[in-house]
């Protein structure tokens, strides 16, 4: 580390324009005599990117890169997450987690282009994001150092404010009490009053979703069409990948859909109360899961659910680069070839429910399932099937009864005694 001070480094910093990363610029310049190159990705977080660029130069960045990575984010990260029904601990659609490897990749690209010695980010030492960025950067280019000033300087919020003031870094007085990270796939809200998991989040935590109790009294409907596992059309209209997600976020949010309140297990061992707004993610995954149930076999679904858990864990825990993730994606990809069809959803006061589905690849066949006329299912076959299906259970019951010295069937807890036996 001391080597840096004497050399004067060139550092590519992931810059959000917020207080932490603004302080990072000055701190890198001061501590490492660094030449700072700032990199801001547009992942659909709706920040004022021009302002962020201006701010970077104002604070002395040598060069600033603004990268519109929205399309790449959706097709390269969100699509695999949809195909994997990616939900960490069954609840969190991995929105922040999916953005980090892409940020790391772009940082590395800029660093290489600029001949930088290191990359830097504003993650703390308490979260998952540091792991995700560090692991990805170092897997992509092992010659690059990773500097995480916030993790290193160990300043309290007040000390950071004082440092910012002394360095002439403008601080917005209206700084939110929440720590927020957002991209097209969702908005993560942490800290402030949310640190008390026994207390309901205040309405001011939410920006994307209308509170369900204030959502319209009339339900909204949404037709989503999937092509090989990814959504391509809404209400019959083809939209580009970014627009489609934005549309569903907007519509779902207006009906109060997408609010998640989660006790989450962070990678570093901390349990944390996390609140999210992910209208598009929850809606699209709900629809996708349902369509899979229409077109995949029971065996495929059963096995895939265990693959999905592992996939979500790898992505959450910063191992996007782990070869197992790519291997799981290959399996998932094979299953998705048939996941083409249409799903109809009903959105109502915070709830999203599938109310219809169809596919040319459906394994549902009316002539097999109908209770009415036209059935091609020969019910007589069921007798032979049951005979063999229950064979082992029946033999085992007999053996168990013999072992227990009882008459047949008595060992099975649910079997009631016959009136004759009671007498
Ligand atoms: N708990 C979520 C995750 O680990 C969200 C993190 C939000 N990050 C942030 N810098 N506010 O992916």
């Amino acid at each position: 580390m001391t080597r840096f001070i004497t050399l004067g480094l060139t550092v590519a910093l992931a810059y959000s324009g917020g207080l932490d990363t603004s302080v990072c610029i000055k701190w890198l310049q001061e501590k490492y005599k660094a030449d700072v190159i700032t990199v801001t990705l547009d992942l659909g977080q709706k920040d004022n990117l021009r302002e962020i660029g201006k701010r970077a130069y104002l604070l002395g960045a040598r060069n600033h890169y603004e990268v519109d990575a929205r399309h790449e984010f959706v097709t390269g990260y969100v699509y695999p997450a949809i195909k994997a029904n990616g939900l960490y601990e069954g609840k969190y659609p991995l929105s922040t987690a999916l953005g980090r490897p892409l940020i790391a990749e772009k940082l590395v690209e800029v660093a290489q282009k600029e001949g930088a010695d290191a990359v830097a980010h504003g993650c703390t030492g308490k979260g998952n994001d540091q792991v995700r960025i560090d692991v990805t950067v170092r897997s992509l280019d092992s010659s690059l150092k990773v500097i995480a000033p916030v993790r290193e300087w160990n300043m309290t919020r007040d000390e950071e404010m004082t440092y910012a003031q002394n360095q002439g870094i403008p601080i917005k007085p209206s700084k939110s009490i929440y720590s927020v990270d957002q991209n097209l796939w969702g908005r993560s809200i942490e800290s402030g009053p949310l640190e008390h998991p026994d207390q309901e989040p205040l309405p001011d935590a939410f920006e994307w979703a209308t509170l369900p109790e204030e959502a319209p009294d009339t339900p909204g409907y949404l037709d989503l069409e999937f092509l090989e596992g990814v959504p391509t059309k809404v209400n019959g209209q083809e939209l580009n990948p970014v627009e489609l997600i934005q549309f569903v976020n907007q519509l779902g949010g207006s009906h109060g859909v997408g609010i998640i309140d989660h006790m989450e297990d962070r990678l570093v061992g901390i349990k944390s109360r996390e609140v999210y707004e992910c209208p598009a993610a929850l809606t699209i995954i709900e629809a996708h899961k349902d369509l899979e149930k229409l077109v995949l076999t029971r065996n495929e679904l059963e096995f895939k659910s265990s693959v999905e858990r592992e996939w979500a864990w790898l992505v959450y825990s910063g191992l996007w680069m782990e070869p197992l993730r790519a291997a799981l994606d290959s399996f998932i990809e094979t299953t998705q070839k048939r996941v083409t069809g249409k799903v109809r959803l009903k959105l109502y006061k915070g709830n999203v429910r599938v109310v219809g589905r169809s596919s040319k690849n459906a394994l549902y066949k009316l002539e097999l399932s109908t209770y009415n006329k036209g059935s091609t299912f020969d019910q007589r076959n069921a007798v032979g099937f049951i005979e063999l299906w229950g064979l082992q259970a029946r033999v085992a019951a007999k053996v168990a009864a013999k072992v227990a010295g009882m008459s047949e069937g008595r060992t099975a807890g649910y079997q009631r005694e016959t009136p004759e036996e009671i007498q």
Side-chain angles (χ1 to χ4, degrees):
M1 281 296 168
T2 45
R3 187 173 74 87
F4 290 156
I5 295 168
T6 48
L7 270 180
L9 293 176
T10 300
V11 180
L13 167 72
Y15 185 59
S16 71
L19 176 70
D20 281 345
T21 51
S22 295
V23 170
C24 283
I25 299 182
K26 287 287 175 194
W27 191 84
L28 287 166
Q29 291 164 340
E30 208 182 39
K31 170 118 199 251
Y32 291 116
K33 309 281 171 278
D35 235 355
V36 181
I37 321 275
T38 46
V39 185
T40 305
L41 259 66
D42 183 1
L43 294 177
Q45 68 272 38
K46 296 193 203 128
D47 283 335
N48 187 336
L49 295 168
R50 190 163 300 171
E51 278 302 313
I52 293 174
K54 269 197 208 155
R55 207 172 155 89
Y57 284 118
L58 200 77
L59 294 171
R62 191 188 78 195
N63 208 349
H64 174 74
Y65 286 79
E66 186 187 305
V67 186
D68 182 356
R70 290 175 303 165
H71 183 84
E72 199 175 341
F73 178 54
V74 175
T75 55
Y77 297 80
V78 171
Y79 279 3
I82 295 171
K83 293 175 184 176
N85 298 316
L87 292 171
Y88 176 60
E89 296 184 324
K91 280 191 105 166
Y92 164 44
L94 298 162
S95 41
T96 295
L98 288 163
R100 299 310 183 192
L102 183 53
I103 292 173
E105 195 186 310
K106 297 296 172 196
L107 262 184
V108 169
E109 264 174 46
V110 171
Q112 288 172 341
K113 194 166 159 201
E114 292 276 347
D117 313 275
V119 301
H121 59 72
C123 305
T124 72
K126 298 184 86 174
N128 304 309
D129 291 330
Q130 52 170 346
V131 184
R132 296 166 182 153
I133 296 184
D134 288 24
V135 170
T136 311
V137 167
R138 291 167 63 192
S139 309
L140 291 172
D141 187 341
S142 60
S143 73
L144 285 169
K145 299 264 176 285
V146 183
I147 308 175
V150 179
R151 190 166 65 189
E152 235 177 88
W153 70 40
N154 219 1
M155 283 191 253
T156 63
R157 195 83 186 160
D158 286 345
E159 288 163 350
E160 201 184 332
M161 297 286 238
T162 313
Y163 182 89
Q165 260 153 6
N166 293 341
Q167 295 287 334
I169 299 169
I171 304 162
K172 278 192 227 141
S174 63
K175 183 89 184 96
S176 157
I177 49 170
Y178 302 106
S179 157
V180 172
D181 176 71
Q182 54 188 13
N183 61 43
L184 281 162
W185 206 226
R187 181 167 183 268
S188 310
I189 317 139
E190 294 176 313
S191 153
L194 299 175
E195 287 180 355
H196 303 285
D198 55 331
Q199 288 165 26
E200 182 176 351
L202 299 169
D204 68 356
F206 303 111
E207 276 184 17
W208 291 15
T210 307
L211 290 178
E213 56 270 35
E214 285 164 18
D217 292 330
T218 24
Y221 284 92
L222 171 67
D223 283 334
L224 266 185
E225 260 176 83
F226 288 83
L227 182 67
E228 299 192 0
V230 298
T232 51
K233 286 188 189 175
V234 285
N235 300 332
Q237 195 190 344
E238 197 153 327
L239 292 180
N240 76 38
V242 172
E243 282 169 353
L244 189 142
I245 307 284
Q246 282 167 337
F247 180 90
V248 182
N249 265 330
Q250 209 281 325
L251 182 73
S254 73
H255 283 280
V257 168
I259 296 176
I260 300 158
D261 189 332
H262 184 213
M263 278 314 301
E264 188 167 301
D265 290 289
R266 281 195 201 159
L267 188 52
V268 294
I270 296 172
K271 270 201 189 283
S272 155
R273 193 273 194 95
E274 305 274 331
V275 174
Y276 302 99
E277 292 174 277
C278 305
L282 290 195
T283 304
I284 292 170
I285 291 176
E286 186 68 16
H288 178 261
K289 271 189 185 170
D290 189 275
L291 183 58
E292 284 188 326
K293 288 194 155 226
L294 182 66
V295 300
L296 300 183
T297 65
R298 186 194 165 279
N299 286 328
E300 284 178 303
L301 291 166
E302 192 62 27
F303 187 74
K304 186 168 180 280
S305 69
S306 62
V307 170
E308 289 170 357
R309 263 171 74 98
E310 189 61 30
W311 192 93
W313 166 245
L314 292 175
V315 173
Y316 184 82
S317 67
L319 297 181
W320 181 264
M321 299 300 289
E322 154 72 51
L324 179 60
R325 199 265 312 159
L328 297 182
D329 272 333
S330 305
F331 163 76
I332 293 171
E333 204 55 50
T334 308
T335 63
Q336 298 304 294
K337 293 279 172 275
R338 279 173 288 136
V339 186
T340 293
K342 200 195 269 190
V343 179
R344 173 155 248 236
L345 300 129
K346 188 170 182 173
L347 313 162
Y348 183 63
K349 292 195 182 285
N351 184 32
V352 57
R353 180 159 63 91
V354 174
V355 292
R357 71 287 280 162
S358 60
S359 167
K360 63 177 169 48
N361 303 327
L363 302 183
Y364 171 86
K365 298 292 170 203
L366 182 62
E367 64 270 27
L368 290 177
S369 63
T370 184
Y371 286 114
N372 297 321
K373 63 175 186 304
S375 171
T376 57
F377 185 96
D378 186 346
Q379 296 193 43
R380 288 165 300 187
N381 288 335
V383 179
F385 165 73
I386 294 165
E387 186 66 21
L388 302 186
W389 177 248
L391 181 60
Q392 285 203 349
R394 291 199 324 270
V395 173
K398 225 176 223 169
V399 171
K402 200 180 257 167
V403 169
M406 291 166 133
S407 62
E408 192 181 337
R410 290 281 301 274
T411 52
Y414 60 85
Q415 196 125 12
R416 298 266 304 274
E417 287 158 315
T418 61
E420 304 87 76
E421 281 170 329
I422 293 166
Q423 282 154 17

